Structures are given as C-alpha cells and as structure tokens.
Amino acid sequence: MKLDFKSVSATGVDAAALAADLKKTIRGEVRFDTGSRALYSYDGSNYRQVPIGVVVPHDVEDAIAAVQICHDHAAPLLNRGGGTSLAGQCCNVAVVIDFSKRLNNIIAMDAEKKFALVEPGVVCDDLRHAAERHHLTWAPDPSTHQYCTMGGMIGNNSCGVHSIMGGKAEENVIELEILTYDGERMWIGQTRDDELDKIIASGGRRGQIYADLRDLRDRYADLIRDRFPHIPRRVSGYNLNRLLPEQNFDVAKALVGTESTCVTILQAKVRLVESPPVRSLLVLGYPSVYEAADHVPEVMKHGPIGLEGLDDRLIGDMKKKHVHPQDIELVPPGKGWLLVEFGGDSKEESDGKARALIDSLKGKNAPTTKLFDRKEEEKKLWEVRESGLGATARVPGAPDTWEGWEDSAVPPEKMGDYLRDLRKLFDKHDYDGSFYGHFGQGCLHTRINFDLKTSGGIKNFRSFIEEAADLVVSYGGSLSGEHGDGQSRAELLPRMFGKEIVQAFGEFKGIWDPDGKMNPHKVVDPYRLDENLRLGSAYHPWDPKTNFAYTEDDGSFNRAVLRCVGVGQCRKHDTGTMCPSYMATREEKHSTRGRARVLFEMMEGEVVTDGWRSNEVKEALDLCLACKGCKAECPMGVDMATYKAEFLSHHYKWRMRPRPAYAMGLMQYWARVGGRMPKLANLVSHSSVLSPALKRMGGVAAEREIPAFAEQTFKEWFRNHPRRRGPRGRVILWPDTWNNYFHPQVAQAAVEVLEAADYEVVTIPDASLCCGRPLYDYGMLSLARRSLRQVLRALQNEIHDGVPLVGLEPSCVSVFKDEMLAMFPRDEDAKRLSKQTFVLSEFLENSGYIPPTLTRSAVVQGHCHHKAVLKMDAEQAVMSKVGLNYQLLDDGCCGMAGSFGFEQEKFDVSVAIGERGLLPAVRQAGSDVLIVADGFSCREQISQTTDRRALHLAQVLQMALHEGPNGPSEPIPERNYI
C-alpha cells in the first residue's frame, strides 16, 4: 500500500504493515486508502493534517485491539466523535479511531439514581431524548447537540446553553472506563484516601499511575489553587484541580477535557439532572451588546436555566444571508439582546420568574422586553441563536470569517467591559466580527475576518491572538470557555497558567501516555497556532473551468467547495432532510461535510491527485441523492447536488458512463418512444421473461417495478379538452415527463383546479420540451444546457408576455428556479422564466384562490427539492385552507430521489432511507387517511414498498371540488384516492 503524503513517513510508521495487522485482527473497518484519509484531514477548525489511516471499530473489544496494534507499531492515535472541534484537536497525523458509527449505544439508564451509562459514540440528543422520558436531561448541550457525541463532549469538556443549569461535561461525569495507550483498562472516578492507598499498594501499571498522580498533586497543589481561575467556563488546560483533596481526587473529572491526548474512553457513567417540564423564554433588548452584557449579573440573580447574548451584527448578517428571515423579526427593538430562559413545573411558575425579572429591571435603564408564550416561537429563537456560526461565516459582500478566538471566557460580571476592550482590539487590527454566546457564564463566541492566505495576514492573525490572550488573562478569564485548546490555543497556555503549571500538564500527560502517542502536539508540546493551517500563505488550489456559474462564490468552484466549515450539521439523524444517505449509513463519506472534504483535497491536489478523474471523489459522491437538502439545511448553503453534477460532467467526459445513466438519465428521450406505443412498452417492461433482462441491461434493481406508461398521455388528452377562456388570464401548465407519460391524471386534475380558479389553461402540445432533470443526476450537463435552451426559445413569447408557468413536479420546477440560473446567470429570459414559474400551491396561494373544503386527514411527504429550493409554505397554506388535518413528515427523503432508488447498487440504501420515516408513517396511516406526495419519485417509492397509493396536491384539490360543500355531489369517476 502506497502512502504518498510526506507527514506520514515522518512518523516512522510502516502504514502498510499497520493496516495489514489491523485488518487481520479487528472485525470493524480499516481504511488507509486515499479517500478515507482525505475525509478525516480536518475538523471544524482552521487546521488540516492528513491522518495515517482510519479505523471504525465494530465494538469495544475491536477498539481495544486497534489501540494495542497501534501501540505495537508505535503509531500515533486520535480518538474521534462527531469531528466538530474548532480548535484543531480532531485532526492529526495519526490513526483516527471513529467511534460514532457503531459504538453509539446507551447501555443503561437509572432514572431513580439519575445516571446513564453510554458508549463514546452516543449522540448528545439521543441521550437527552431518552432522559427526557424520565423528566431528566444531560445538561451540556452545545449548538451541535444534534450530532456531537458523548466521547467528543467529554474530550472537549463541552458546555452549551444549559450548562448554566447543570454545569460543563466535567461536572456531569461520574466515572469513566478508560484504556491507556499501553493497554491498561480501568474504571476511574472519585477516590477516597483509603482507596487511593489500596490502589497504589496493589502495584502494577494502575498503581503506578495513581502514585504518580498523587505525587503530581502534592507537588503542584498550591500552584493549582493559585493559578486556576475560579470562573464558570474555565475549559483551557487539564483539570488538575480535580486531583486536589477537596475535590476528592476525582481522576475521571481530571481526564475530562484532555482532548484524546491522554487515554481512550470506552464507556462513561454520566449524571442526569432534573429537566424543567415547562420553560419560558424572555428576550431583553438593549441599546448595544455591551449594555446587555452589563446586565448579566442582575439577570442571573433570578435563576435562569439559560442566558444567551447576541449583537446586532449577528442579526444583520442573518438578514443578509436570509437565515431565519421571519424568526429574527421576533426579537424586541434593540442592538443587543439577552435570551433568558426560565424553567418550572408549570407555565405559571416559569412565566412568573420571567415577569419578576421584568419588574426588577424597571427604572434601571430598562430594556425592551418580550415574553414568548408559544413553543414554536421559542424554538425559532433558539434556532436563531444556534445559527450563529453559519450566519457569520460567509456573509455576502464581506470577507470570510474564521474561528481562532471564538470561545474565550471571563467572569460573567466583567463581560461588558471585556467586550468593549476586545472590540478595541478588533479595531486595532482592522478586524470585525459579531459577538454572541453564553453570556450567563461569561463565554463569548465570535468569528473574525482573519486573512489566513497571505504571510502578512497570518502575522497579523498571530499578533491579534497573542494580544487577545493577554487581554482575557488580565480579566481573570480563560483562553477557552467551551471548545478546548487543541492547536489554536495550546501554545498560549503559559500566558494563562504560567510555565510551572504548563509543565505539570506535560507531566500529567506523561503519566497516562509516556510514549507521547495520544494525539501528539495538541495541548502539550503543541504545534504553533499558525502552522498546519488549512489555507496558509502557500494556498493555491486548482480552479478549473466549470459548467455552472457559481455566482455566489465569485464564479469559483473551489470557493464553492470551501463553503464547508466542518460544523457537521449534515451528520444529524433525527430531523430534516440533510443528509439522507448519511442517515442510513452513518458513514462520514456520505455526509455533505465528508464529500466537501474530498472535493477540497481534489482541488488541493496533494492527497487526491487525479482531479476530475478521481475515483475517491466519485465514490464519495456516489450515494449523494442530489436531494438539495444540504443547500437549505447546511448553515453555509453547501450545494452538493450541483457539485456532484459538475464533477460527473468532467469525470465522464469522453468516457462511457454506467448503464443507469443511459437507461434513466435519458428518460426524457425513452419516454417519447414508449409514449407512442405504451401497450408494447408496458408488455416488454412487465413481462416475466423480458423485464428481468431489461432491468439488467439498464442497471435497474430486480426488486423494482418499471413504471407503466399511461395509455394516453396528458398532452393527447389536452388536445381534445375543451378550451375555457378564464377571466383571470392564461397560465401554462408544464407537461413534465412524469405527469405527461406516466401519471397524466395528475395533470388532468391540475387543469380542472386551475379552470375552477378562473384561469385559461394552455400547455405545450407540439414541442417535445423537457427541463432535463435526470440529466443532472448523471452529469450530462451539455444535454441539460441544450434542453433549457430549447425551452427558452420555445417559450420566448410567453416569457416576454409574462405568462405564468405552473409545474406539478417539484424537481422540474426547481430546475427553472435553480439550475437554469446557475447555467445562464446573465440570460434575461432565464431570469424572467424563473420568476414566472411556480408550483401549483404557490400559484394558487399568490392568486388568492379559496379552495372548497375537504375534511380529511392526510400524511404529507414533501419532495426534497420542494422543501429545499421552493419551500413548503404555500403548500401548507393551501392544505390548511382546504381543511386537511395533515401531518407533514420531517424524517428526510423518500429514498427514491428520481432514478437513485431504481439503481441496483443503491436499492438497499434507498429502502433504508424510506424506512426511516416515510414508509412506516404510510403503513401506520388509517385507510381513510390520504397520502399526499407531489413528487413522482416519492409516489413511486410509496406504491412500490407499501400497499398504498399517494395523491398529488392537484388530485386532493380536485377531490375537494367534487366532494366538498362547494362542489358537485357526484364522485369523480375512475379515481382511487385511497
């Protein structure tokens, strides 16, 4: 096995022999290939280091064996959870052990004794949701709570909004089962003096560790008491204070926050605290963020369970990026705000605490106030706060911002003055950045517009960080109040603790890791804060010519790829659409972040060296469903569907594509052939003899049924449909491939609905036009461009006349709203058509149409492109007006995703995605409950994996016309709604 990256050989490790031994020994996955190493080359920080290889253990015993083999080969080791670290502690030239895929079980939970036993890969929210069943919670909840893991939280000593209620991870760890690099496995926790004596007397490696720890404590006890700041958010350094007698020689808590530099965590026994069943959110508005921070001590007297601050810069950035545009209007007037949460056993109790605070602030430079009563609004406000990183990372018209000084902490009562002095330091270095964070505990978050690409910029960056470190120390604060030291702050620890304590940190690490192989040069003996930068003064990536314009990224594909900041929201698995393949596989390479990293390495050309021909990139993108969930849900708007289409167009240039590309990517052409002789086409595609061969030829899964052609296309039907002159004007009904050739009843229903709304419906009966949606899935962008040109030419008169176009297939409408503008950013007709194109619900809602009512229940699956590009607001508004009692599913993609679910190699993943939420919900729905799905692929997934058939919204509205109080009483013939 060839490993060509220089830093691997610098470790002296025979990577090929190490990988071979791992593969022979463990049951899990051993990945030393170029693509896997690229996936783990950086975390959420400014740093980049390509690992030796990656191990995904199958179970705890696998992890133990992997550590042993790494020890035998003297290979550096790095344990990893969610990989969202912002200080560089989660990337290194080491063997990365990823615990998140399989070691993610809650082993036990004792509600009476208020503790849980967890594996390191358990996601924070999984534990919190399980604990909430007993009215308990795990208090630390950083903004990454949907996807960060317990091992990572313990490694970083994580905090979050509600650490004000129950403390940092440190305060909530009871015991740990740990493994040293040299193979000692043990449980650790608080240790009474008599127990300590026994352990030391028993000898062995464990006895020696405890003897050395006691000796370290005794030698440094007075310095520890003197040098450690007594503030709520001291996260920097090792927790040597936990070894003091008054702290009960708590070895487990001493290891919290050591960032994988000392031991491997195998299990953790953690404390659970009472979770107030009812909560109230009060928002206070101030003239500035400084005055908001000044009021923190007064607010804290009232016992909030959460106290966050944010400034007008953050709100301004959100407005520019259109992040939560409606939600930010909820805040009261001001330029600085405090979000204050109270808890209680009843709404009266929690609201009472909030009103008591309001009363106490009257006459004291009283802020504007707003007490929220609705959970939905409270949730939206917290989402605004949690969106801080994404909202400030890349703002239109402003320089990119970066971490580096993003989580300093001071005594809460000094927060206002610290912010004023820090702003002066920003001005001195010509920097800017918003201020937000956990003000109740004196912790500040910010991203700063550092120049990390030029020598002068990096020097200024370093100078600022050094001065900022001195500033926070002068306030009795901590370099890190949440994210740890890693590489970005470790070099500065002597400024905070002094040389003697930093020496003690080194001795502490040496006790556990005498070989220095655990995450080396992070925290102890650290790299400089300005080396290993992901960008750096030598940054000069490849920037090729592309098919799409990338107008929001200065026309640069490389800059588009650089959008990913590694925060990891694409690794969530409980709500939303992004990222469906990751939700099914839990593989880093199937996350949006993982794919972006491999693309970054392709542009860098140092690890992934084959450019557009790269098989590593092809493999990472292979299970991307092009759902566009990332475009909407990623805080940075990473658009992996577009990147995939771009890559595939170059990857297969002058080369043969896989069979499905020709069988399904060219469906617009095949459908025209089949539509002319539907009976013959259906006979062949459904013949027990011919169908299997046909599927094999096209790469279609044997388990899939090829959709049947309708006996009459919609356009044929429309030719004989009597024209009705509508007083409200003409509207073009777009005859997409799916609803023209396969489901014409959907388009027929739409005609009836639009005519009932007093519109004259026209279509395109003669020209064979198509938006080309399947072409994008296979990177056939030349054909896609040609298809759109044909549309623009054919509809030129209607475009100029402003005739609206209504589409029924969301994926087709999204082409006109998204890909068309990315292909033709300066074409005025393309811009006009984009503005004139609507989905049915949007058009009806904009027109003010009041539909007849239909008192039915429904389960609704929103098409991914509808949710991501077009938004579901109008769809929901129309369904509400109809009177549907509907449930809009929020469990991701249907799994079919156009042709994706038809492909043989993707069938299992497709069904697994559908089984996450959609398919069980359909099966559980009563026979009288409507199943609604506008997307053709969604309807196909439902019909092919359940005994139900789904309706398009057009058919629901048609049903209301016939069955509702304003419609005729007779039923529509030959319509099966259930």
Side-chain angles (χ1 to χ4, degrees), residues 565-624:
V565 294
V567 71
Q569 193 164 329
C570 47
R571 287 172 57 96
K572 61 185 172 65
H573 60 267
D574 52 350
T575 60
T577 300
M578 177 182 69
C579 178
S581 50
Y582 174 79
M583 291 178 179
T585 68
R586 298 290 184 94
E587 286 279 2
E588 176 72 18
K589 72 177 177 181
H590 297 148
S591 69
T592 304
R593 180 181 70 179
R595 293 171 178 134
R597 285 179 176 165
V598 179
L599 283 167
F600 174 88
E601 294 296 345
M602 180 188 82
M603 308 306 291
E604 193 74 2
E606 198 169 12
V607 179
V608 177
T609 58
D610 298 332
W612 293 127
R613 297 297 197 214
S614 167
N615 287 324
E616 294 89 354
V617 178
K618 167 66 172 61
E619 183 179 346
L621 292 171
D622 197 44
L623 290 188
C624 170

Side-chain angles (χ1 to χ4, degrees), residues 379-689:
K379 181 182 177 183
K380 289 175 180 178
L381 261 297
W382 285 121
E383 289 174 351
V384 167
R385 162 59 188 87
E386 290 178 357
S387 299
L389 189 155
T392 58
R394 184 180 287 185
V395 179
D400 292 351
T401 61
W402 307 93
E403 57 276 359
W405 191 252
E406 78 287 345
D407 74 321
S408 54
V410 297
E413 64 273 14
K414 298 180 180 181
M415 190 71 173
D417 289 339
Y418 172 62
L419 295 183
R420 292 179 178 93
D421 284 345
L422 185 60
R423 181 63 68 189
K424 292 176 184 176
L425 191 60
F426 274 34
D427 294 341
K428 175 183 174 182
H429 288 267
D430 198 24
Y431 288 146
D432 197 5
S434 62
F435 288 162
Y436 61 99
H438 312 293
F439 283 20
Q441 293 191 314
C443 181
L444 171 68
H445 291 322
T446 183
R447 289 178 68 90
I448 304 172
N449 55 327
F450 298 125
D451 169 11
L452 299 177
K453 295 181 181 178
T454 67
S455 176
I458 294 169
K459 287 178 182 177
N460 192 38
F461 158 70
R462 180 180 183 89
S463 175
F464 169 84
I465 296 295
E466 290 175 340
E467 292 181 55
D470 291 339
L471 175 63
V472 79
V473 169
S474 73
Y475 274 92
S478 176
L479 306 176
S480 172
E482 182 159 35
H483 299 148
D485 298 314
Q487 179 174 345
S488 62
R489 283 172 286 275
E491 184 188 355
L492 305 168
L493 289 175
R495 295 170 183 258
M496 176 177 170
F497 290 101
K499 292 182 180 179
E500 298 92 338
I501 291 293
V502 171
Q503 180 178 327
F505 292 158
E507 293 180 32
F508 181 80
K509 174 179 169 63
I511 291 169
W512 297 102
D513 177 31
D515 297 316
K517 297 297 185 180
M518 295 296 298
N519 204 9
H521 307 298
K522 303 297 168 86
V523 185
V524 168
D525 185 26
Y527 294 110
R528 298 190 320 273
L529 63 89
D530 53 357
E531 64 180 318
N532 298 323
L533 291 171
R534 182 154 54 103
L535 301 182
S537 58
Y539 179 66
H540 188 70
W542 175 46
D543 207 2
K545 184 179 179 181
T546 57
N547 293 282
F548 293 108
Y550 305 102
T551 53
E552 294 182 356
D553 299 294
D554 302 333
S556 166
F557 181 69
N558 174 68
R559 181 157 165 73
V561 169
L562 202 60
R563 277 182 173 270
C564 178
V565 294
V567 71
Q569 193 164 329
C570 47
R571 287 172 57 96
K572 61 185 172 65
H573 60 267
D574 52 350
T575 60
T577 300
M578 177 182 69
C579 178
S581 50
Y582 174 79
M583 291 178 179
T585 68
R586 298 290 184 94
E587 286 279 2
E588 176 72 18
K589 72 177 177 181
H590 297 148
S591 69
T592 304
R593 180 181 70 179
R595 293 171 178 134
R597 285 179 176 165
V598 179
L599 283 167
F600 174 88
E601 294 296 345
M602 180 188 82
M603 308 306 291
E604 193 74 2
E606 198 169 12
V607 179
V608 177
T609 58
D610 298 332
W612 293 127
R613 297 297 197 214
S614 167
N615 287 324
E616 294 89 354
V617 178
K618 167 66 172 61
E619 183 179 346
L621 292 171
D622 197 44
L623 290 188
C624 170
L625 286 81
C627 68
K628 292 186 178 287
C630 51
K631 182 168 184 173
E633 296 177 30
C634 169
M636 294 302 298
V638 171
D639 184 2
M640 196 52 63
T642 297
Y643 306 167
K644 177 183 179 180
E646 185 73 65
F647 173 81
L648 292 178
S649 71
H650 299 281
H651 185 76
Y652 286 114
K653 189 174 183 179
W654 312 120
R655 302 165 80 187
M656 287 291 292
R657 285 174 163 82
R659 289 170 294 159
Y662 303 105
M664 291 175 278
L666 300 178
M667 183 53 69
Q668 66 188 74
Y669 306 107
W670 297 123
R672 294 171 193 170
V673 176
R676 292 193 181 99
M677 40 187 175
K679 291 184 179 180
L680 177 60
N682 291 337
L683 178 65
V684 172
S685 63
H686 292 82
S687 163
S688 59
V689 176

Side-chain angles (χ1 to χ4, degrees), residues 577 627-633 814 818 862-872:
T577 300
C627 68
K628 292 186 178 287
C630 51
K631 182 168 184 173
E633 296 177 30
S814 74
D818 190 356
H863 188 285
C864 292
H865 291 182
H866 202 156
K867 291 184 285 187
V869 179
L870 312 170
K871 309 306 178 187
M872 293 289 290

Side-chain angles (χ1 to χ4, degrees), residues 235-285:
V235 170
S236 279
Y238 291 153
N239 296 328
L240 301 185
N241 55 313
R242 291 296 186 174
L243 298 177
L244 296 174
E246 57 267 32
Q247 299 276 358
N248 300 310
F249 200 80
D250 197 325
V251 182
K253 288 181 173 57
L255 280 172
V256 173
T258 52
E259 304 177 15
S260 190
T261 61
C262 293
V263 299
T264 295
I265 297 171
L266 302 177
Q267 295 183 69
K269 181 180 180 181
V270 298
R271 180 179 74 136
L272 303 175
V273 299
E274 297 286 344
S275 178
V278 180
R279 304 185 183 199
S280 297
L281 179 62
L282 171 66
V283 181
L284 307 176

